[in-house]
Coordinates of all heavy atoms in Angstrom, one line a residue:
M1 N -45.2 48.9 86.4 CA -45.0 49.8 85.3 C -44.7 51.2 85.8 O -45.3 51.7 86.7 CB -46.3 49.9 84.5 CG -46.5 48.7 83.6 SD -45.3 48.7 82.3 CE -45.9 50.0 81.2
N2 N -43.8 51.9 85.1 CA -43.5 53.3 85.4 C -44.3 54.2 84.5 O -44.1 54.2 83.3 CB -42.0 53.5 85.2 CG -41.6 54.7 85.9 OD1 -42.3 55.7 86.1 ND2 -40.3 54.7 86.4
V3 N -45.2 54.9 85.1 CA -46.1 55.8 84.3 C -45.7 57.2 84.4 O -46.4 58.1 83.9 CB -47.6 55.6 84.7 CG1 -48.1 54.2 84.3 CG2 -47.8 55.9 86.2
S4 N -44.6 57.5 85.2 CA -44.3 58.9 85.4 C -42.9 59.2 84.9 O -42.1 60.0 85.5 CB -44.4 59.2 86.9 OG -43.5 58.3 87.6
N5 N -42.5 58.7 83.8 CA -41.3 59.1 83.2 C -41.2 60.5 82.8 O -42.2 61.1 82.3 CB -41.0 58.3 81.9 CG -40.6 56.8 82.2 OD1 -40.6 56.4 83.4 ND2 -40.3 56.0 81.2
P6 N -40.1 61.2 83.1 CA -40.0 62.6 82.7 C -39.9 62.8 81.2 O -39.5 61.9 80.5 CB -38.7 63.1 83.5 CG -37.9 61.8 83.5 CD -38.9 60.7 83.7
T7 N -40.2 64.0 80.7 CA -39.9 64.3 79.3 C -38.5 64.6 79.1 O -37.8 65.1 80.1 CB -40.8 65.4 78.8 OG1 -40.6 66.5 79.7 CG2 -42.3 65.0 78.8
C8 N -38.0 64.4 77.9 CA -36.6 64.7 77.6 C -36.3 66.2 77.7 O -37.0 67.0 77.1 CB -36.3 64.2 76.2 SG -34.6 64.5 75.7
P9 N -35.2 66.6 78.4 CA -34.9 68.0 78.5 C -34.3 68.6 77.2 O -34.3 69.8 77.0 CB -33.8 68.0 79.6 CG -33.2 66.6 79.6 CD -34.3 65.7 79.2
K10 N -33.9 67.7 76.3 CA -33.3 68.2 75.0 C -34.4 68.3 73.9 O -34.5 69.3 73.3 CB -32.2 67.2 74.6 CG -30.9 67.6 75.2 CD -29.8 66.8 74.5 CE -28.4 67.1 75.1 NZ -27.4 66.2 74.7
C11 N -35.1 67.2 73.7 CA -36.1 67.3 72.6 C -37.5 67.3 73.0 O -38.4 67.3 72.2 CB -35.8 66.1 71.6 SG -36.3 64.5 72.3
N12 N -37.7 67.3 74.4 CA -39.1 67.3 74.9 C -39.9 66.1 74.6 O -41.1 66.2 74.7 CB -39.7 68.6 74.5 CG -40.6 69.2 75.5 OD1 -40.4 69.0 76.7 ND2 -41.7 69.8 75.2
S13 N -39.3 65.0 74.2 CA -40.0 63.8 73.9 C -40.5 63.1 75.2 O -39.8 63.2 76.2 CB -39.2 62.9 73.1 OG -39.8 61.6 73.1
A14 N -41.6 62.5 75.1 CA -42.1 61.7 76.3 C -41.7 60.3 76.1 O -42.0 59.4 77.0 CB -43.6 61.8 76.4
N15 N -41.0 60.0 75.1 CA -40.6 58.6 74.8 C -39.2 58.3 75.5 O -38.2 58.2 74.9 CB -40.4 58.4 73.3 CG -40.1 57.0 72.9 OD1 -40.3 56.1 73.7 ND2 -39.7 56.8 71.7
T16 N -39.3 58.3 76.8 CA -38.1 58.1 77.6 C -38.3 56.8 78.5 O -39.4 56.3 78.6 CB -37.9 59.3 78.6 OG1 -39.1 59.4 79.5 CG2 -37.8 60.6 77.8
C17 N -37.2 56.4 79.0 CA -37.2 55.2 79.8 C -36.2 55.3 80.9 O -35.2 56.0 80.8 CB -37.1 53.9 79.0 SG -35.5 53.7 78.2
E18 N -36.4 54.4 81.9 CA -35.5 54.4 83.0 C -34.2 53.6 82.7 O -34.3 52.6 82.0 CB -36.2 53.8 84.2 CG -35.5 54.1 85.5 CD -36.5 53.7 86.7 OE1 -37.6 53.3 86.4 OE2 -36.1 54.0 87.8
I19 N -33.1 54.1 83.1 CA -31.8 53.4 82.9 C -31.6 52.4 84.1 O -31.7 52.7 85.2 CB -30.6 54.3 82.8 CG1 -30.8 55.3 81.7 CG2 -29.3 53.5 82.6 CD1 -29.7 56.3 81.5
I20 N -31.5 51.1 83.7 CA -31.3 50.1 84.7 C -29.8 49.6 84.8 O -29.2 49.4 83.8 CB -32.1 48.8 84.3 CG1 -33.6 49.2 84.2 CG2 -32.0 47.7 85.3 CD1 -34.2 49.6 85.5
Y21 N -29.4 49.6 86.0 CA -28.0 49.2 86.2 C -27.9 47.8 86.9 O -28.9 47.4 87.6 CB -27.3 50.2 87.1 CG -27.1 51.5 86.4 CD1 -28.1 52.5 86.5 CD2 -26.0 51.8 85.6 CE1 -28.0 53.7 85.9 CE2 -25.9 53.0 85.0 CZ -26.9 54.0 85.1 OH -26.8 55.2 84.5
G22 N -26.9 47.1 86.6 CA -26.7 45.8 87.3 C -27.1 44.7 86.4 O -27.4 44.9 85.2
Y23 N -26.9 43.5 86.9 CA -27.2 42.3 86.1 C -28.6 41.8 86.4 O -29.0 41.7 87.6 CB -26.2 41.2 86.5 CG -26.2 40.1 85.5 CD1 -25.5 40.2 84.3 CD2 -26.9 38.9 85.9 CE1 -25.6 39.1 83.4 CE2 -27.0 37.9 85.0 CZ -26.3 38.0 83.8 OH -26.3 36.9 82.9
P24 N -29.4 41.6 85.3 CA -30.8 41.2 85.5 C -30.9 39.7 86.0 O -30.2 38.8 85.5 CB -31.4 41.3 84.2 CG -30.2 41.2 83.2 CD -29.0 41.7 83.9
A25 N -31.7 39.5 87.0 CA -31.9 38.1 87.5 C -32.7 37.3 86.4 O -32.4 36.2 86.2 CB -32.7 38.1 88.8
D26 N -33.6 38.0 85.7 CA -34.4 37.4 84.6 C -34.0 38.0 83.3 O -34.5 39.0 82.9 CB -35.9 37.6 84.9 CG -36.7 36.8 83.9 OD1 -36.2 36.4 82.8 OD2 -37.9 36.6 84.2
E27 N -33.0 37.4 82.7 CA -32.4 38.0 81.5 C -33.4 38.1 80.4 O -33.4 39.1 79.6 CB -31.1 37.3 81.1 CG -30.3 38.0 80.1 CD -29.0 37.4 79.8 OE1 -28.7 36.3 80.4 OE2 -28.2 38.0 79.0
E28 N -34.2 37.1 80.2 CA -35.1 37.0 79.1 C -36.1 38.2 79.2 O -36.4 38.9 78.2 CB -35.9 35.7 79.1 CG -36.6 35.4 77.8 CD -37.2 34.0 77.9 OE1 -36.6 33.1 78.5 OE2 -38.3 33.9 77.3
E29 N -36.6 38.4 80.4 CA -37.6 39.5 80.6 C -36.9 40.8 80.4 O -37.4 41.8 79.8 CB -38.2 39.4 82.1 CG -39.1 40.5 82.4 CD -40.5 40.3 81.7 OE1 -40.7 39.2 81.2 OE2 -41.2 41.3 81.6
Y30 N -35.7 40.9 80.9 CA -34.9 42.1 80.8 C -34.7 42.5 79.3 O -34.9 43.6 78.9 CB -33.6 41.9 81.5 CG -32.6 43.0 81.4 CD1 -32.7 44.2 82.2 CD2 -31.5 42.9 80.6 CE1 -31.8 45.2 82.1 CE2 -30.5 44.0 80.5 CZ -30.7 45.1 81.3 OH -29.8 46.1 81.2
L31 N -34.3 41.5 78.5 CA -34.0 41.8 77.1 C -35.3 42.2 76.4 O -35.3 43.0 75.4 CB -33.4 40.6 76.5 CG -31.9 40.2 76.9 CD1 -31.4 39.0 76.3 CD2 -31.0 41.4 76.6
K32 N -36.4 41.6 76.8 CA -37.7 41.9 76.2 C -38.0 43.4 76.5 O -38.4 44.2 75.6 CB -38.8 41.0 76.8 CG -40.1 41.1 76.1 CD -41.1 40.2 76.7 CE -42.4 40.9 76.9 NZ -43.2 40.5 78.1
L33 N -37.8 43.8 77.8 CA -38.0 45.2 78.1 C -37.1 46.2 77.4 O -37.5 47.2 76.9 CB -37.9 45.4 79.6 CG -38.9 44.8 80.5 CD1 -38.5 44.9 82.0 CD2 -40.3 45.4 80.3
V34 N -35.9 45.8 77.2 CA -34.9 46.6 76.4 C -35.4 46.7 75.0 O -35.4 47.8 74.4 CB -33.5 46.0 76.5 CG1 -32.6 46.7 75.5 CG2 -33.0 46.1 77.9
A35 N -35.8 45.6 74.4 CA -36.3 45.6 73.0 C -37.5 46.4 72.8 O -37.7 47.1 71.8 CB -36.6 44.1 72.6
E36 N -38.3 46.5 73.9 CA -39.5 47.3 73.8 C -39.2 48.8 74.2 O -40.1 49.6 74.3 CB -40.6 46.8 74.7 CG -41.2 45.4 74.2 CD -42.1 44.8 75.3 OE1 -42.2 45.3 76.4 OE2 -42.7 43.7 75.0
K37 N -38.0 49.0 74.5 CA -37.5 50.4 74.9 C -38.2 50.9 76.2 O -38.5 52.0 76.3 CB -37.7 51.4 73.8 CG -36.8 51.1 72.6 CD -37.1 52.1 71.5 CE -36.3 51.8 70.2 NZ -34.9 51.8 70.3
R38 N -38.5 49.9 77.0 CA -39.1 50.3 78.3 C -38.0 50.5 79.4 O -38.3 51.1 80.4 CB -40.1 49.3 78.7 CG -41.4 49.4 77.9 CD -42.2 48.1 78.0 NE -42.6 47.8 79.4 CZ -43.2 46.7 79.7 NH1 -43.4 45.7 78.8 NH2 -43.5 46.5 81.0
V39 N -36.9 49.9 79.2 CA -35.7 50.2 80.0 C -34.5 50.4 79.1 O -34.5 49.9 78.0 CB -35.5 49.1 81.1 CG1 -36.7 48.9 82.0 CG2 -35.1 47.8 80.4
Y40 N -33.5 51.0 79.6 CA -32.2 51.1 78.9 C -31.1 50.5 79.7 O -31.0 50.8 80.9 CB -31.9 52.6 78.6 CG -30.7 52.8 77.8 CD1 -30.7 52.7 76.4 CD2 -29.5 53.1 78.4 CE1 -29.5 52.9 75.7 CE2 -28.3 53.3 77.7 CZ -28.3 53.2 76.3 OH -27.2 53.3 75.6
P41 N -30.3 49.6 79.1 CA -29.3 49.0 79.9 C -28.1 49.9 80.2 O -27.5 50.4 79.3 CB -28.8 47.8 78.9 CG -29.2 48.3 77.6 CD -30.4 49.2 77.7
G42 N -27.9 50.2 81.4 CA -26.9 51.1 81.9 C -25.6 50.5 82.2 O -24.6 51.2 82.4
G43 N -25.5 49.2 82.1 CA -24.3 48.5 82.4 C -24.2 48.1 83.9 O -25.2 48.2 84.6
Y44 N -23.0 47.7 84.3 CA -22.9 47.1 85.6 C -22.3 48.0 86.6 O -22.2 47.7 87.8 CB -22.1 45.8 85.5 CG -22.6 44.8 84.5 CD1 -21.7 44.1 83.6 CD2 -24.0 44.6 84.4 CE1 -22.2 43.2 82.7 CE2 -24.5 43.7 83.5 CZ -23.6 43.0 82.6 OH -24.1 42.1 81.7
C45 N -21.9 49.2 86.2 CA -21.2 50.1 87.1 C -22.1 51.3 87.3 O -22.6 51.9 86.4 CB -19.8 50.5 86.6 SG -18.7 49.1 86.4
I46 N -22.2 51.7 88.6 CA -22.8 52.9 88.9 C -21.8 53.9 89.6 O -21.0 53.4 90.5 CB -24.0 52.7 90.0 CG1 -25.1 51.9 89.3 CG2 -24.5 54.0 90.4 CD1 -26.2 51.6 90.3
D47 N -21.7 55.1 89.1 CA -20.9 56.0 89.8 C -21.7 57.3 90.1 O -22.9 57.4 89.8 CB -19.6 56.4 89.1 CG -19.8 56.8 87.7 OD1 -20.7 57.6 87.5 OD2 -19.1 56.3 86.8
D48 N -21.1 58.3 90.7 CA -21.8 59.5 91.1 C -22.5 60.2 90.0 O -23.5 60.9 90.3 CB -20.9 60.4 91.9 CG -20.5 59.9 93.2 OD1 -21.2 58.9 93.7 OD2 -19.5 60.3 93.8
D49 N -22.0 60.2 88.8 CA -22.7 60.9 87.8 C -23.4 60.0 86.7 O -23.6 60.4 85.6 CB -21.7 61.9 87.1 CG -20.5 61.1 86.5 OD1 -20.4 59.9 86.7 OD2 -19.6 61.7 86.0
S50 N -23.7 58.8 87.2 CA -24.5 58.0 86.3 C -25.9 58.6 86.1 O -26.5 59.0 87.1 CB -24.7 56.6 86.9 OG -23.4 55.9 86.9
P51 N -26.4 58.7 84.8 CA -27.7 59.2 84.6 C -28.8 58.3 85.0 O -28.6 57.1 85.1 CB -27.7 59.5 83.1 CG -26.7 58.4 82.6 CD -25.7 58.2 83.6
A52 N -30.0 58.8 85.2 CA -31.1 58.0 85.6 C -32.1 57.7 84.5 O -32.9 56.8 84.5 CB -31.8 58.7 86.8
W53 N -32.1 58.6 83.4 CA -33.1 58.5 82.4 C -32.5 58.5 81.0 O -31.4 59.1 80.8 CB -34.1 59.6 82.5 CG -34.8 59.7 83.8 CD1 -34.5 60.4 84.9 CD2 -35.9 58.8 84.2 NE1 -35.4 60.1 85.9 CE2 -36.2 59.2 85.5 CE3 -36.7 57.9 83.5 CZ2 -37.3 58.6 86.2 CZ3 -37.7 57.3 84.2 CH2 -38.0 57.6 85.5
Y54 N -33.2 57.9 80.1 CA -32.7 57.8 78.7 C -33.8 58.2 77.7 O -35.0 57.8 77.9 CB -32.2 56.3 78.4 CG -31.8 56.1 77.0 CD1 -30.5 56.4 76.6 CD2 -32.7 55.5 76.1 CE1 -30.1 56.2 75.2 CE2 -32.3 55.2 74.8 CZ -31.0 55.6 74.4 OH -30.6 55.4 73.1
C55 N -33.5 58.9 76.7 CA -34.4 59.3 75.7 C -34.3 58.4 74.5 O -33.3 58.3 73.9 CB -34.2 60.8 75.3 SG -35.3 61.3 74.0
N56 N -35.4 57.8 74.2 CA -35.4 56.8 73.0 C -35.4 57.6 71.7 O -35.1 57.0 70.6 CB -36.7 56.0 73.0 CG -36.6 54.9 74.1 OD1 -35.6 54.3 74.3 ND2 -37.7 54.7 74.9
D57 N -35.7 58.9 71.7 CA -35.7 59.6 70.4 C -34.4 60.3 70.1 O -33.9 60.1 69.0 CB -36.8 60.7 70.5 CG -38.2 60.1 70.4 OD1 -38.3 59.0 70.0 OD2 -39.1 60.8 70.8
C58 N -33.7 60.9 71.0 CA -32.5 61.6 70.7 C -31.3 61.0 71.4 O -30.2 61.5 71.3 CB -32.6 63.1 71.0 SG -32.5 63.5 72.8
E59 N -31.5 59.9 72.2 CA -30.5 59.2 72.8 C -29.7 59.9 73.9 O -28.6 59.6 74.3 CB -29.5 58.6 71.8 CG -30.1 57.7 70.8 CD -29.1 57.1 69.8 OE1 -28.0 57.5 69.8 OE2 -29.5 56.1 69.1
S60 N -30.3 61.0 74.4 CA -29.6 61.7 75.5 C -29.9 61.0 76.8 O -30.9 60.4 77.0 CB -30.0 63.2 75.5 OG -31.4 63.3 75.9
K61 N -29.0 61.2 77.7 CA -29.2 60.6 79.1 C -29.0 61.8 80.1 O -28.2 62.6 79.9 CB -28.1 59.6 79.3 CG -28.1 58.4 78.4 CD -26.8 57.6 78.5 CE -26.7 56.6 77.4 NZ -25.4 55.9 77.4
W62 N -29.8 61.7 81.1 CA -29.8 62.8 82.1 C -30.3 62.3 83.4 O -30.8 61.2 83.5 CB -30.6 64.0 81.6 CG -32.1 63.8 81.7 CD1 -32.9 64.2 82.7 CD2 -32.9 63.1 80.8 NE1 -34.2 63.8 82.5 CE2 -34.2 63.1 81.3 CE3 -32.7 62.3 79.6 CZ2 -35.3 62.5 80.7 CZ3 -33.8 61.7 79.0 CH2 -35.1 61.8 79.5
G63 N -30.4 63.2 84.3 CA -31.0 62.9 85.6 C -30.0 62.4 86.6 O -28.9 61.9 86.3
E64 N -30.4 62.5 87.9 CA -29.6 62.1 89.0 C -30.1 60.8 89.5 O -31.2 60.7 89.9 CB -29.5 63.2 90.0 CG -28.4 63.1 91.0 CD -28.3 64.3 91.9 OE1 -28.4 65.4 91.4 OE2 -28.0 64.1 93.1
L65 N -29.2 59.9 89.6 CA -29.5 58.6 90.1 C -29.6 58.6 91.7 O -28.7 59.2 92.3 CB -28.4 57.6 89.7 CG -28.8 56.1 89.5 CD1 -30.0 56.0 88.5 CD2 -27.6 55.4 89.0
N66 N -30.7 58.2 92.2 CA -30.8 58.1 93.6 C -30.4 56.8 94.2 O -31.0 55.8 94.0 CB -32.3 58.4 94.0 CG -32.4 58.5 95.5 OD1 -31.6 58.0 96.3 ND2 -33.5 59.2 96.0
L67 N -29.1 56.7 94.7 CA -28.6 55.5 95.1 C -29.3 54.9 96.2 O -29.4 53.6 96.4 CB -27.1 55.7 95.4 CG -26.2 56.1 94.3 CD1 -24.8 56.3 94.7 CD2 -26.3 55.1 93.1
D68 N -29.9 55.7 97.1 CA -30.7 55.1 98.2 C -31.9 54.4 97.7 O -32.3 53.4 98.2 CB -31.2 56.3 99.1 CG -30.0 56.9 99.8 OD1 -28.9 56.2 100.0 OD2 -30.1 58.0 100.3
K69 N -32.5 55.0 96.6 CA -33.6 54.4 96.0 C -33.3 53.1 95.3 O -34.0 52.1 95.4 CB -34.2 55.4 95.0 CG -35.5 54.8 94.2 CD -35.9 55.9 93.2 CE -36.7 55.2 92.1 NZ -36.7 55.9 90.9
I70 N -32.1 53.1 94.7 CA -31.6 51.9 94.0 C -31.5 50.7 95.0 O -31.8 49.6 94.7 CB -30.2 52.2 93.3 CG1 -30.4 53.2 92.2 CG2 -29.6 50.9 92.9 CD1 -30.8 52.6 90.9
D71 N -31.0 51.1 96.2 CA -30.7 50.1 97.2 C -32.0 49.3 97.5 O -31.9 48.1 97.8 CB -30.2 50.7 98.4 CG -29.4 49.7 99.3 OD1 -28.9 48.8 98.7 OD2 -29.3 50.0 100.5
S72 N -33.1 49.9 97.4 CA -34.4 49.3 97.8 C -35.2 49.0 96.5 O -36.4 48.9 96.6 CB -35.2 50.1 98.8 OG -35.4 51.4 98.3
F73 N -34.5 49.1 95.4 CA -35.2 48.9 94.1 C -35.9 47.6 94.0 O -35.3 46.5 94.3 CB -34.1 49.0 93.0 CG -34.7 49.4 91.7 CD1 -35.3 50.6 91.5 CD2 -34.6 48.6 90.6 CE1 -35.8 51.0 90.3 CE2 -35.1 49.0 89.3 CZ -35.7 50.2 89.2
D74 N -37.2 47.6 93.7 CA -37.9 46.4 93.7 C -38.8 46.3 92.4 O -40.0 46.5 92.4 CB -38.8 46.2 94.9 CG -39.4 44.9 95.0 OD1 -38.9 43.9 94.4 OD2 -40.4 44.8 95.7
F75 N -38.1 45.9 91.3 CA -38.8 45.8 90.1 C -39.6 44.5 90.0 O -39.2 43.5 90.5 CB -37.8 45.8 88.9 CG -37.9 46.9 87.9 CD1 -37.7 48.2 88.3 CD2 -38.3 46.6 86.6 CE1 -37.9 49.2 87.4 CE2 -38.5 47.6 85.7 CZ -38.3 48.9 86.1
D76 N -40.8 44.6 89.5 CA -41.6 43.4 89.4 C -40.9 42.3 88.6 O -41.1 41.1 88.8 CB -43.0 43.7 88.8 CG -43.8 44.6 89.7 OD1 -43.7 44.5 90.9 OD2 -44.7 45.3 89.2
Q77 N -40.1 42.7 87.7 CA -39.4 41.8 86.8 C -38.3 41.1 87.5 O -37.8 40.1 87.0 CB -38.9 42.5 85.6 CG -39.9 43.0 84.6 CD -40.6 44.2 85.0 OE1 -40.2 44.9 85.9 NE2 -41.8 44.5 84.4
G78 N -38.0 41.5 88.7 CA -37.0 40.8 89.5 C -35.5 41.0 89.1 O -34.7 40.1 89.1
F79 N -35.2 42.2 88.7 CA -33.8 42.5 88.5 C -32.9 42.3 89.7 O -33.3 42.7 90.8 CB -33.6 44.0 88.0 CG -34.2 44.2 86.7 CD1 -35.2 45.2 86.5 CD2 -33.8 43.4 85.6 CE1 -35.8 45.4 85.3 CE2 -34.4 43.7 84.3 CZ -35.4 44.6 84.2
N80 N -31.8 41.7 89.5 CA -30.9 41.6 90.7 C -29.8 42.6 90.6 O -28.9 42.5 89.8 CB -30.3 40.2 90.6 CG -29.3 40.0 91.8 OD1 -29.3 40.8 92.7 ND2 -28.6 38.8 91.7
I81 N -30.0 43.7 91.4 CA -29.0 44.8 91.3 C -28.0 44.6 92.5 O -27.2 45.5 92.6 CB -29.7 46.1 91.4 CG1 -30.6 46.3 92.6 CG2 -30.5 46.4 90.1 CD1 -30.1 47.1 93.7
E82 N -28.1 43.6 93.2 CA -27.1 43.3 94.3 C -25.7 43.2 93.7 O -24.8 43.6 94.3 CB -27.5 42.1 95.0 CG -28.8 42.1 95.7 CD -28.9 43.1 96.8 OE1 -27.9 43.3 97.5 OE2 -29.9 43.7 97.0
E83 N -25.7 42.7 92.4 CA -24.4 42.5 91.8 C -23.6 43.8 91.6 O -22.4 43.8 91.4 CB -24.6 41.9 90.4 CG -25.3 40.5 90.5 CD -24.4 39.4 90.9 OE1 -23.2 39.6 90.9 OE2 -25.0 38.4 91.3
V84 N -24.3 44.9 91.6 CA -23.7 46.2 91.4 C -22.7 46.5 92.5 O -21.7 47.1 92.3 CB -24.8 47.3 91.3 CG1 -24.1 48.7 91.4 CG2 -25.6 47.1 90.1
Y85 N -23.1 46.1 93.7 CA -22.2 46.4 94.8 C -21.1 45.4 95.0 O -21.4 44.2 95.2 CB -23.0 46.6 96.1 CG -24.1 47.7 95.9 CD1 -25.4 47.4 95.5 CD2 -23.7 49.0 96.0 CE1 -26.3 48.4 95.3 CE2 -24.6 50.0 95.8 CZ -25.9 49.7 95.5 OH -26.8 50.7 95.3
D86 N -19.9 45.8 94.9 CA -18.8 44.9 95.0 C -18.5 44.5 96.4 O -18.1 45.3 97.1 CB -17.6 45.5 94.3 CG -16.7 44.4 93.8 OD1 -16.9 43.2 94.2 OD2 -15.7 44.7 93.1
Ligands
ZN101 ZN1 -34.7 63.5 73.6

């Protein structure tokens, strides 16, 4: 569980979630997290200006994605982000 989500820089809401990139290994779990707004599906492509955070209230996206961190990303849910790298 991520308990340290930042507040939204636009509306100051704490109702934010991490943007997940890549294809989920466990799609059912992934869709459940998306439905619960605990993660936001960022798609399959990551580039230099891909945002890291999503606001559930005003739908803004912001933040800098740490690609080094992504590389060692180890979600308990078992997302497979290896697919991101072509
Ligand atoms: Zn917001």
Side-chain angles (χ1 to χ4, degrees):
M1 283 294 289
N2 197 328
V3 294
S4 59
N5 286 4
T7 53
C8 175
K10 274 193 181 167
C11 70
N12 214 30
S13 168
N15 186 14
T16 62
C17 65
E18 199 163 0
I19 300 178
I20 301 296
Y21 294 89
Y23 191 82
D26 187 341
E27 191 171 6
E28 197 175 324
E29 179 71 18
Y30 176 76
L31 292 176
K32 190 178 137 216
L33 290 173
V34 170
E36 291 171 355
K37 296 181 185 295
R38 284 161 60 191
V39 301
Y40 181 82
Y44 305 137
C45 298
I46 295 179
D47 53 45
D48 288 343
D49 56 1
S50 291
W53 300 98
Y54 176 81
C55 176
N56 287 317
D57 286 342
C58 73
E59 301 185 347
S60 68
K61 301 169 191 172
W62 76 97
E64 197 171 317
L65 210 55
N66 187 336
L67 295 181
D68 292 336
K69 181 183 155 203
I70 293 276
D71 201 25
S72 57
F73 204 62
D74 188 20
F75 239 66
D76 290 335
Q77 287 80 13
F79 293 122
N80 181 7
I81 56 106
E82 299 293 325
E83 303 280 344
V84 169
Y85 300 98
D86 204 350

